[in-house]
Amino acid sequence: MKSSVDYKKFLLEFLFNGLIGTSLSFFLQYHDWSKALIFGLSFGFLIAVFYTFILPRFKKK
């Protein structure tokens, strides 16, 4: 029985969006790796939750 939640997709979305958020916020806004890393990880987590859990519920309808 397959779970409806794909954790591999969640992890990949988290890492990919976290990397993009961290690098862009470092070069464009903060110029401090600690602030950029905190922003990137939180951005990656929020986007991964949205793409993995929230968006598929709207697509099914």
Side-chain angles (χ1 to χ4, degrees):
M1 190 158 119
K2 188 176 187 252
S3 175
S4 62
V5 177
D6 190 9
Y7 292 106
K8 183 179 178 183
K9 179 183 177 186
F10 177 80
L11 182 64
L12 289 175
E13 289 286 341
F14 172 69
L15 292 174
F16 183 68
N17 290 312
L19 176 68
I20 290 173
T22 301
S23 60
L24 286 177
S25 66
F26 175 75
F27 289 114
L28 297 176
Q29 185 175 7
Y30 293 124
H31 305 294
D32 181 18
W33 279 113
S34 62
K35 289 180 183 178
L37 188 61
I38 291 170
F39 175 79
L41 291 178
S42 60
F43 177 76
F45 182 75
L46 289 175
I47 296 299
V49 166
F50 178 74
Y51 280 145
T52 307
F53 299 112
I54 298 171
L55 195 62
R57 290 185 183 175
F58 290 112
K59 285 185 175 181
K60 287 181 183 178
K61 292 182 179 180

